[in-house]
Amino acid sequence: MPYSGVRRGAALAAVAAALAAAAPGGAQAEEPAPAKAAQKSDARAVIADVRRAIADNYVIAEKIPAVDAVLAKGLASGRYDGLDPRRLADRINADLMAAANDKHLAIQFDPHRAAMLKGPIGDEATIGPQWDRMAQFRNHGFTEMRVLDGNVRYANLEGFVWTGPKTAEAYDTVMKFLKDGDAAIIDLRYNGGGSPQSVQYLISHFVEAGKPLTTFYMGGGRKPEKEYAVAKLPAGRLIGKPLYVLTSKISISAAEAFAGHVTGYRLGDVVGETTAGAAYRNMFVPIAGQYMLSVSSGRAVLAATGGDWEGKGIKPTIPAEMGKAVDVAHLHALKKLAAVAPGHEKGRMEAKAALLAAKLEPATPALPLPAYAGRFGERTISVDSGALHSQRRGGPKSRLVPLGGNRFLIEADPSTKLDFVVAGGAAPAVEVIRGDGTRMTEARTD
């Protein structure tokens, strides 16, 4: 498979990581139990296979001698002798990183997935019942869809899977969902990479048919491969719809390719953190002793930029903390949509945007919260769990979001503000400011 589900500086995700990648928080797919019979590895057989796979496939030819030399030295010095399987993998990976500084070049002890490999797996789709089942477990990478305020559609893609028509069908469903929204957010913050076919299919929905996408320069002396936007898409295209792609420092490989297309062709905004900076495509090779090796087998050059992102990553157009990226993207979408919304929708979107902005940048009230608490006509203001709440007689309780000074938004109705009248460190009254501009003063009655 191309690209990888790389995490923590090494390509330690197995073939299925392209399906998926990691769970939130960077967790990997479940590790198989250690093989009982393999307490110690045959280091010579393992290193021989690794050296051969690198010599035959590694895309950066000038690095091959240095990588080969460090492996040969480690073997000759006894550095790899007498180790259990996972400890040997850790030691080899340390040497590979030191020699190549390549996040896609790594070995993993994985008896289960190594047994699934009948030979090297490169860029071809992983077709067959077992692959379909693995992809189905994570809905081909799309693990969540939501409708946010303002008809902003959100989809979380945790891995660029490609098993053929079944993946295309899953993507078509998601694209139809996003197409019915007024803006789209695609979350790649936990995306561990995957297949270029998947990237090609997804990005094709946001560009014209036939538009140049990527040129792949492959190892082993193979001819460059050019990739273009897909012509026929059952869901149609989403060109011109506000698009926000969320990234983090663990968004990697294929996830970076997608983000690079978006920024390079100015299809939308990338919101979050600079990505991992792993641009090479990779293939998986079975290695003696139930190991798998990820080998960088191709370099991707984006047509939109004329370059790759190796060692640099894709920079966001809207920087944001990883944990706040959804709200930041949603806020930008609401502001953009409010600017062109009809009158009856404009105020509501602006109010929702103001609420999000207040949550993202919390303000400090002028007085301690208990100073605002009390009864104001039919309204009761109380302090609960470190926040003010407003409740009219017989109605639901809603949290108040501070805007600074003595002004607050009602979370359940952000078009309404409460502006407390303050005197002598207390609040004798509160002014209610409605979304239509009307004002009403409610005096303290307790």
Side-chain angles (χ1 to χ4, degrees):
M1 278 191 173
Y3 306 125
S4 77
V6 190
R7 294 271 191 246
R8 304 181 187 94
L12 298 181
V15 175
L19 304 178
Q28 293 295 332
E30 182 179 351
E31 289 291 338
K36 293 181 180 179
Q39 296 302 314
K40 295 286 170 42
S41 296
D42 182 349
R44 292 190 176 278
V46 173
I47 295 299
D49 277 2
V50 170
R51 293 172 72 182
R52 186 179 305 112
I54 291 172
D56 290 345
N57 299 288
Y58 196 58
V59 66
I60 310 299
E62 57 268 27
K63 285 188 177 183
I64 294 176
V67 175
D68 189 72
V70 77
L71 294 172
K73 180 180 178 180
L75 189 62
S77 68
R79 174 173 165 75
Y80 306 135
D81 292 345
L83 300 176
D84 67 74
R86 286 182 173 79
R87 179 62 178 151
L88 176 59
D90 290 342
R91 193 159 287 186
I92 294 172
N93 282 329
D95 290 345
L96 291 175
M97 179 58 69
N101 191 29
D102 181 348
K103 296 177 181 179
H104 280 102
L105 181 61
I107 191 170
Q108 182 179 19
F109 177 69
D110 191 336
H112 174 66
R113 292 186 181 119
M116 293 173 66
L117 293 180
K118 306 305 180 184
I121 290 184
D123 299 342
E124 65 275 10
T126 47
I127 296 173
Q130 60 184 343
W131 301 107
D132 286 338
R133 184 61 175 160
M134 291 172 72
Q136 185 181 6
F137 270 16
R138 301 293 284 176
N139 192 38
H140 298 261
F142 275 107
T143 58
E144 183 183 6
M145 295 187 292
R146 281 188 278 152
V147 180
L148 307 181
D149 285 329
N151 195 25
V152 177
R153 301 294 177 97
Y154 167 92
N156 185 17
L157 178 60
E158 294 187 0
F160 280 94
V161 180
W162 195 258
T163 66
K166 289 184 179 295
T167 298
E169 183 179 350
Y171 273 43
D172 294 340
T173 298
V174 177
M175 290 300 102
K176 290 174 182 177
F177 168 78
L178 294 181
K179 190 174 183 181
D180 283 340
D182 294 318
I185 297 174
I186 299 177
D187 193 346
L188 304 182
R189 288 175 298 166
Y190 302 99
N191 192 296
S195 167
Q197 292 106 312
S198 179
V199 176
Q200 178 190 22
Y201 196 75
L202 184 60
I203 198 64
S204 293
H205 291 83
F206 301 95
V207 296
E208 302 84 359
K211 196 172 187 68
L213 296 176
T214 313
T215 299
F216 297 107
Y217 296 90
M218 308 304 295
R222 287 173 286 174
K223 293 182 179 179
E225 302 172 5
K226 292 186 179 292
E227 183 182 79
Y228 301 89
V230 175
K232 294 183 179 180
L233 298 167
R237 299 183 192 272
L238 286 73
I239 296 173
K241 187 182 298 292
L243 172 65
Y244 301 88
V245 177
L246 311 186
T247 59
S248 73
K249 61 185 177 183
I250 58 173
S251 303
I252 200 159
S253 203
E256 298 178 90
F258 185 84
H261 290 309
V262 170
T263 58
Y265 277 135
R266 298 183 180 179
L267 306 176
D269 282 299
V270 171
V271 182
E273 302 171 337
T274 299
T275 59
Y280 299 142
R281 286 169 69 170
N282 66 315
M283 63 189 302
F284 293 94
V285 181
I287 300 296
Q290 300 179 304
Y291 289 86
M292 306 173 44
L293 179 73
S294 168
V295 182
S296 298
S297 57
R299 174 176 174 250
V301 175
L302 301 181
T305 65
D308 66 24
W309 58 93
E310 180 67 23
K312 303 185 295 289
I314 303 297
K315 293 182 179 180
T317 56
I318 303 175
E321 296 176 20
M322 182 178 179
K324 295 182 177 181
V326 175
D327 284 343
V328 171
H330 189 196
L331 173 60
H332 279 263
L334 286 174
K335 287 181 175 179
K336 182 172 285 189
L337 295 174
V340 297
H344 65 285
E345 293 183 6
K346 185 180 184 69
R348 183 172 58 84
M349 288 189 180
E350 289 176 338
K352 292 289 186 181
L355 176 61
L356 267 179
K359 288 182 175 180
L360 284 167
E361 298 292 339
T364 301
L367 300 177
L369 297 185
Y372 301 104
R375 184 172 297 167
F376 300 81
E378 294 188 350
R379 186 186 306 275
T380 298
I381 305 296
S382 60
V383 180
D384 185 11
S385 301
L388 285 181
H389 291 77
S390 174
Q391 183 178 26
R392 292 183 66 81
R393 183 178 299 171
K397 182 187 292 186
S398 179
R399 189 168 75 95
L400 299 184
V401 179
L403 297 177
N406 300 301
R407 180 169 289 192
F408 297 79
L409 273 178
I410 299 180
E411 186 174 49
D413 180 17
S415 63
T416 300
K417 303 179 182 67
L418 299 184
D419 200 355
F420 288 88
V421 178
V422 171
V430 63
E431 185 176 31
V432 181
I433 307 171
R434 303 288 184 189
D436 60 5
T438 59
R439 295 170 177 258
M440 179 180 66
T441 299
E442 297 176 343
R444 182 184 287 273
T445 56
D446 58 356

